């Protein structure tokens, strides 16, 4: 089985087999990460540039560590520390970086479609590390990887994605990936934060959290993305928590073994109570841990498709 693409731009365009390829490969890399010396030389001489034009802690650090664990070289460029501030375009920035013989670019950008735009115009592979409200495929893969580790399957599970669906690229990647692997996906949030067309992706929509949480295996709670909302979409933070927050009271009513997930960063006391985020059922930090193995798998699979560059870092 071969990965058919130059890039990883989203889970929407992948087959079930391609998603499984990343998950199975990540399982092997997770075993490597548990060794006393968690490094393999398989990408020695290869170079990845991380272009982070939007804030990030988890994804940026995770890609950096993943490259190191594979013995690849990586450089990270942020918008504030680059010539973007002097007016250079994203494409010119990427072309200049490509001229330095990098194999791939990992891009976080506030514009939906930015990763697709770049992927069509440069030879280096592009990994979408989150583009606006569109997709965040490596987060989707690590979420699915974490669920699969706990339940040994995805097929037949009922998974609730809770909160600000409209602004969430994580929700879209999770939905595309989980549905391809046979999960039943339910989304729940205020009507102003659930796009009407979301049902076309194959999910069912609830606006009442207390009924939505019945019989779920997993709740993936999304951050309230206030920075992407240019008008008030619910009356107040307190009311959001009351109606759509995973509070201690709701948590106590869940059936045993429900997995609590959140892609981070979390707003404690808004979409999730601190006691729930820190509970034994919470796998929030496990998601972060698995993210390194997943990103190792992504870099490994994409770099192997790139011919060795003459005059590059080799
Ligand atoms: N989950 C996630 O993408 O977190 P960061 O924004 O910190 O990378």
């Amino acid at each position: 089985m071969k990965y058919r693409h130059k890039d990883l731009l989203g889970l929407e365009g992948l087959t079930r087999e391609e998603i499984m390829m990343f998950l199975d490969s990540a399982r092997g890399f997770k075993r490597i990460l548990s060794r006393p010396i968690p490094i393999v030389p398989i990408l020695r001489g290869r170079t990845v540039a991380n272009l982070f034009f939007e804030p990030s802690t988890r994804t940026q650090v995770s890609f950096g560590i993943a490259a190191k664990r594979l013995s690849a070289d990586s450089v990270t460029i942020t918008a504030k520390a680059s010539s973007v501030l002097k007016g250079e375009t994203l494409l010119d920035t990427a072309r200049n970086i490509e001229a330095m013989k990098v194999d791939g670019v990992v891009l976080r950008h506030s514009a939906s479609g930015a990763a697709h735009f770049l992927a069509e115009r440069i030879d280096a592979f592009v990994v979408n590390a989150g583009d606006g409200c569109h997709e965040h495929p490596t987060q989707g893969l690590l979420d699915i990887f974490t669920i699969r580790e706990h339940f040994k399957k995805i097929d037949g599970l009922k998974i609730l994605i809770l909160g600000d669906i409209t602004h969430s690229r994580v929700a879209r990647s999770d939905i595309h990936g989980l549905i391809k692997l046979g999960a039943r996906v339910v989304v729940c949030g205020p009507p102003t934060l659930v796009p009407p067309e979301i049902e076309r992706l194959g999910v069912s929509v609830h606006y009442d959290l207390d009924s939505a949480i019945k019989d779920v295996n997993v709740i993936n709670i999304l951050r309230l993305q206030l920075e992407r909302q240019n008008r008030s979409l619910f009356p107040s933070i307190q009311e959001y928590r009351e109606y759509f927050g995973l509070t201690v009271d709701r948590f106590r009513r869940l059936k045993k073994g429900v997995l609590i997930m959140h892609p981070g960063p979390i707003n404690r006391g808004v979409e999730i109570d601190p006691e729930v985020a820190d509970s034994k059922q919470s796998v929030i930090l496990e998601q972060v841990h698995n993210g390194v193995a997943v990103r190792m798998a992504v870099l490994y699979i994409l770099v192997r498709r790139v011919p060795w560059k003459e005059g590059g870092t080799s």
Side-chain angles (χ1 to χ4, degrees):
M1 159 79 208
K2 275 199 170 158
Y3 185 67
R4 297 172 299 138
H5 315 269
K6 172 175 80 75
D7 313 288
L8 175 61
L9 304 177
L11 298 192
E12 184 177 12
L14 302 194
T15 61
R16 176 192 164 90
E17 289 70 32
E18 285 168 330
I19 292 172
M20 290 305 293
M21 180 195 253
F22 283 122
L23 299 180
D24 289 341
S25 176
R27 198 148 57 177
F29 285 118
K30 188 167 175 178
R31 281 195 291 273
I32 288 169
L33 290 175
S34 67
R35 291 180 189 166
I37 300 175
I39 298 178
V40 283
I42 51 181
L43 294 189
R44 189 180 285 155
R46 300 299 199 133
T47 308
V48 178
N50 300 314
L51 266 57
F52 277 74
F53 290 176
E54 236 197 5
S56 166
T57 297
R58 279 147 290 272
T59 314
Q60 185 179 319
V61 174
S62 185
F63 269 109
I65 292 176
K68 276 195 171 60
R69 301 291 187 241
L70 295 166
S71 306
D73 296 310
S74 77
V75 285
T76 297
I77 300 122
T78 59
K80 281 196 179 124
S82 77
S83 291
V84 166
L85 276 195
K86 301 177 204 162
E88 189 167 55
T89 65
L90 170 64
L91 182 55
D92 280 333
T93 303
R95 281 188 175 147
N96 277 270
I97 287 165
E98 199 178 27
M100 296 180 227
K101 307 283 183 193
V102 302
D103 295 290
V105 171
V106 176
L107 178 69
R108 157 79 53 107
H109 203 283
S110 59
S112 299
H116 284 74
F117 171 83
L118 211 56
E120 286 168 6
R121 288 164 178 82
I122 63 175
D123 293 328
F125 69 77
V126 176
V127 180
N128 180 5
D131 62 330
C133 305
H134 176 230
E135 278 222 44
H136 191 349
T138 57
Q139 181 70 45
L141 288 172
L142 75 89
D143 289 347
I144 297 168
F145 181 91
T146 305
I147 297 169
R148 189 171 173 233
E149 270 207 329
H150 277 267
F151 293 97
K152 313 294 173 215
K153 62 172 191 174
I154 298 294
D155 197 21
L157 295 179
K158 186 175 174 189
I159 295 166
L160 170 64
I161 302 178
L162 170 63
D164 182 353
I165 311 293
T166 297
H167 300 98
S168 177
R169 51 199 177 204
V170 176
R172 275 166 196 75
S173 289
D174 281 355
I175 290 168
H176 289 304
L178 288 166
I179 285 182
K180 279 179 184 158
L181 300 189
R184 280 189 299 151
V185 181
V186 178
V187 301
C188 179
T192 47
L193 291 175
V194 179
E197 70 279 5
I198 200 82
E199 272 174 316
R200 276 195 263 145
L201 302 186
V203 304
S204 46
V205 177
H206 280 253
Y207 300 111
D208 174 36
L209 179 54
D210 293 309
S211 71
I213 57 177
K214 282 187 191 134
D215 300 324
V216 292
N217 301 105
V218 178
I219 305 180
N220 195 8
I221 303 136
L222 304 173
R223 183 173 68 88
L224 199 50
Q225 300 200 32
L226 295 169
E227 77 278 17
R228 295 195 205 277
Q229 298 175 19
N230 50 15
R231 64 197 166 96
S232 183
L233 294 169
F234 47 88
S236 68
I237 296 286
Q238 287 78 5
E239 275 156 305
Y240 183 87
R241 177 181 173 273
E242 187 180 327
Y243 289 98
F244 296 101
L246 195 59
T247 58
V248 172
D249 178 52
R250 286 199 175 95
F251 177 65
R252 289 200 182 118
R253 282 188 270 132
L254 292 174
K255 69 177 183 188
K256 213 166 158 260
V258 175
L259 223 55
I260 305 298
M261 303 179 74
H262 193 307
I266 63 177
N267 292 311
R268 287 174 180 266
V270 180
E271 69 264 359
I272 186 168
D273 278 3
E275 297 86 342
V276 181
D278 301 330
S279 68
K280 282 203 170 73
Q281 277 165 250
S282 162
V283 291
I284 295 171
L285 292 178
E286 212 176 296
Q287 289 170 261
V288 178
H289 177 74
N290 290 337
V292 177
V294 164
R295 287 166 180 132
M296 286 171 80
V298 168
L299 292 180
Y300 176 64
I301 288 169
L302 292 181
V303 170
R304 274 198 318 174
R305 295 177 52 78
V306 179
W308 199 260
K309 287 183 168 53
E310 290 297 324
T313 51
S314 52

